[in-house]
Amino acid sequence: MFTGMAMSCYSAIKRILVPRLTRKLSGCHLHTCASTCAAAPPDDVTHSWLTTVGGGTVDLTKDESSGLAVLTLNNPERLNAVTGNMMLQLANIVNDLKDWRNGKALIVHGKGHTFCPGADLNMVRNMLDSKQGQEMCAFMHKTLTELHRLPLISVAAIDGHAIGGGSELCTATDFRVMTERANIRFIHALMGVVPGWGGGTRLTRLVGRTRALDLLSSGRPIGPEEALEIGLANWIIPTGHDVVEATAEWLQKYTKGKTEVVRALKNVVVAGSELPVEEALEREAEQFVDVWGGPAHEEAILKSMKHKK
């Protein structure tokens, strides 16, 4: 077991940090740690109209042993365009994943050989002069922000086109991997709008101001080689490999640790990317206290001690 010194440090950290962090967090209105930030259930009154725009599903599978979830946009007849009903399903899935205590990682992909072209155009056409258009954008903005904050290491596996809202969706994951025929295209300006699901802000943070302005203003497609070069993509899936299987194998190097450690690390990164420095440091300390002395920590200490003998 732990040495007396290690146990003393652990007790001191618990005694000093936890009460102070609890007081600090109780007064914070911005929930940015992934463990407390899954999407709220949809407002049945405000968003019930979304259920009338049917077609397609968002499917989720969870492997309890590996901690890997796979989210599939399933609307192949519309190239996986997102309908109102799919938006509601996505929000509910995000909420479910927030509470999945065995979860480590999430793969987001599209059914068949395309990722997603964004919102279904038949739905968009009926929203041009309606408040519903504004509500739809706000709803998806919130859902993708909460997806981005989940305590899971997430990756968009892009095969085929990720266009418009689909390009925004893939910025809401931690990583992006692409097949050789895939492309990402922020086509919003060519459609007379700007990103409304948070993708413009996330893109700017991913690739920088100048590159983001280039991609958003031109609306040109970004292939896998360029995406890899500018930091928009993280890996190119070799030709002939199953997209989900190859992505799951690629993810393993990030999910080797114990579940509680993987989730805590994601929480630290979320806080560090969204909060002022002092608050982010306190959140990091909170996560440290949560895993200090835990099974993963104790196992690593004992293993290290054995190697030194």
Side-chain angles (χ1 to χ4, degrees):
M1 302 301 289
F2 283 104
T3 65
M5 181 177 293
M7 290 301 294
S8 297
C9 290
Y10 173 58
S11 299
I13 290 171
K14 282 282 190 180
R15 184 176 63 254
I16 297 170
L17 286 181
V18 172
R20 181 164 60 87
L21 290 172
T22 302
R23 290 194 300 271
K24 183 69 175 181
L25 294 173
S26 65
C28 182
H29 298 289
L30 177 62
H31 301 293
T32 54
C33 269
S35 61
T36 59
C37 285
D43 185 328
D44 292 336
V45 176
T46 305
H47 301 293
S48 60
W49 59 271
L50 287 173
T51 61
T52 66
V53 189
T57 60
V58 181
D59 304 326
L60 180 69
T61 62
K62 295 187 292 188
D63 187 324
E64 298 292 341
S65 60
S66 68
L68 174 64
V70 178
L71 185 155
T72 305
L73 302 171
N74 189 354
N75 192 11
E77 293 182 357
R78 303 290 297 170
L79 300 177
N80 298 324
V82 180
T83 64
N85 191 52
M86 290 172 69
M87 292 178 185
L88 289 171
Q89 291 177 7
L90 179 60
N92 285 329
I93 284 173
V94 169
N95 197 48
D96 176 64
L97 289 172
K98 176 257 182 180
D99 294 327
W100 185 35
R101 308 314 300 176
N102 293 329
K104 287 185 179 181
L106 170 68
I107 296 174
V108 178
H109 77 117
K111 182 78 171 180
H113 298 294
T114 191
F115 185 73
C116 176
D120 183 85
L121 289 181
N122 288 333
M123 177 178 67
V124 172
R125 190 178 297 115
N126 294 325
M127 294 180 179
L128 294 178
D129 298 312
S130 173
K131 183 182 177 183
Q132 290 177 343
Q134 179 182 1
E135 292 176 353
M136 178 269 293
C137 287
F139 184 83
M140 285 298 291
H141 193 164
K142 178 179 179 181
T143 298
L144 295 190
T145 298
E146 304 296 2
L147 169 63
H148 196 52
R149 293 170 174 169
L150 282 174
L152 308 174
I153 295 178
S154 58
V155 56
I158 305 167
D159 187 18
H161 304 294
I163 302 173
S167 65
E168 294 194 68
L169 171 58
C170 74
T171 67
T173 54
D174 301 312
F175 298 104
R176 283 145 296 282
V177 299
M178 302 173 69
T179 64
E180 293 183 355
R181 65 180 177 183
N183 69 80
I184 301 171
R185 191 174 186 184
F186 295 87
I187 201 172
H188 306 75
L190 303 181
M191 300 295 291
V193 294
V194 299
W197 296 356
T201 297
R202 290 189 296 268
L203 177 66
T204 302
R205 295 187 177 191
L206 280 169
V207 302
R209 174 173 173 166
T210 301
R211 284 191 173 127
L213 191 58
D214 166 33
L215 300 179
L216 291 170
S217 298
S218 68
R220 62 181 178 83
I222 309 107
E225 295 289 349
E226 181 183 4
L228 192 64
E229 179 183 350
I230 66 176
L232 184 56
N234 305 95
W235 183 55
I236 299 175
I237 301 171
T239 301
H241 287 67
D242 180 84
V243 172
V244 173
E245 289 181 2
T247 303
E249 184 176 350
W250 178 82
L251 261 175
Q252 287 179 4
K253 60 179 173 286
Y254 300 113
T255 59
K256 290 180 180 179
K258 299 291 187 180
T259 301
E260 63 272 19
V261 177
V262 172
R263 294 168 67 90
L265 284 172
K266 175 64 183 288
N267 288 340
V268 168
V269 172
V270 170
S273 64
E274 296 190 9
L275 289 176
V277 173
E278 291 301 323
E279 292 183 50
L281 288 171
E282 291 190 350
R283 295 295 179 93
E284 183 174 328
E286 179 189 28
Q287 296 300 314
F288 172 79
V289 169
D290 285 344
V291 296
W292 177 273
H297 188 197
E298 182 174 350
E299 181 180 329
I301 292 293
L302 292 174
K303 185 177 180 180
S304 178
M305 292 173 65
K306 287 180 181 179
H307 284 311
K308 291 180 179 180
K309 289 182 179 179

